[in-house]
Amino acid sequence: MDSYDLLIVGTGPAGVQAALRARRAGRKTAVIEKMDLVGGTCIHRGTIPSKTLRQAVIDLSGFREWGIYDDGPERRPRIPMSDLRARCDRVIGAEALWQQRLMKTRGIDVVAGSATFLDPHTFRVEGRDGTREVRGDT
């Protein structure tokens, strides 16, 4: 069984900050994440995708120039949703990989799977690679 000073469930903004601060304080730290890559809902389904789609529409549609040329709606460019999704997927992937590298370079272990408490200090983590137990000693 793996043992850590601190276990953090989830790699959203709060989980990432907690892990980084714990490592800075010299604690052996791990994060448990059920998604394929770190980043939590913020990166994969929330803030990053919504802001990326919004900015892509503004950039690709030429929205900022509509008033300059006084073009009517029929002359505005049409952007396929597949192009918007592709842009969004690239940004999400880059952000998630950046955070994955950040965890690795800071010495924070990433445990893939869903966490369930076994007792106040132990989690059972069920992931693609099977089930394992991890323990937080404090």
Side-chain angles (χ1 to χ4, degrees), residues 32-34 112-116 124-127:
I32 303 170
E33 178 57 58
K34 66 182 175 181
S114 295
T116 306
R124 177 179 48 236
V125 180
E126 296 180 34

Side-chain angles (χ1 to χ4, degrees), residues 50-67:
S50 66
K51 300 288 190 237
T52 299
L53 286 174
R54 177 185 176 278
Q55 193 61 43
V57 167
I58 289 170
D59 293 346
L60 296 173
S61 70
F63 173 77
R64 296 192 197 291
E65 288 79 32
W66 287 353

Side-chain angles (χ1 to χ4, degrees), residues 14-92:
V16 168
Q17 284 304 308
L20 292 171
R21 288 178 186 210
R23 280 301 297 148
R24 233 177 286 138
R27 305 291 189 262
K28 183 177 179 189
T29 307
V31 293
I32 303 170
E33 178 57 58
K34 66 182 175 181
M35 293 186 186
D36 291 338
L37 291 172
V38 298
T41 300
C42 175
I43 289 179
H44 296 282
R45 294 191 179 93
T47 305
I48 300 295
S50 66
K51 300 288 190 237
T52 299
L53 286 174
R54 177 185 176 278
Q55 193 61 43
V57 167
I58 289 170
D59 293 346
L60 296 173
S61 70
F63 173 77
R64 296 192 197 291
E65 288 79 32
W66 287 353
I68 295 172
Y69 302 107
D70 200 29
D71 291 340
E74 67 280 349
R75 303 240 354 215
R76 293 179 186 151
R78 302 209 182 275
I79 304 162
M81 190 61 186
S82 59
D83 289 357
L84 294 174
R85 281 297 315 163
R87 170 75 178 140
C88 192
D89 290 344
R90 282 192 305 275
V91 170
I92 290 168

Side-chain angles (χ1 to χ4, degrees), residues 79-135:
I79 304 162
M81 190 61 186
S82 59
D83 289 357
L84 294 174
R85 281 297 315 163
R87 170 75 178 140
C88 192
D89 290 344
R90 282 192 305 275
V91 170
I92 290 168
E95 186 67 21
L97 287 174
W98 178 82
Q99 283 201 3
Q100 196 88 19
R101 277 188 244 117
L102 180 66
M103 296 287 175
K104 186 176 182 175
T105 60
R106 298 297 197 275
I108 300 166
D109 291 343
V110 177
V111 180
S114 295
T116 306
F117 276 105
L118 292 178
D119 63 45
H121 298 280
T122 311
F123 284 105
R124 177 179 48 236
V125 180
E126 296 180 34
R128 283 193 208 134
D129 301 335
T131 301
R132 68 190 256 197
E133 293 181 8
V134 290
R135 181 167 177 78

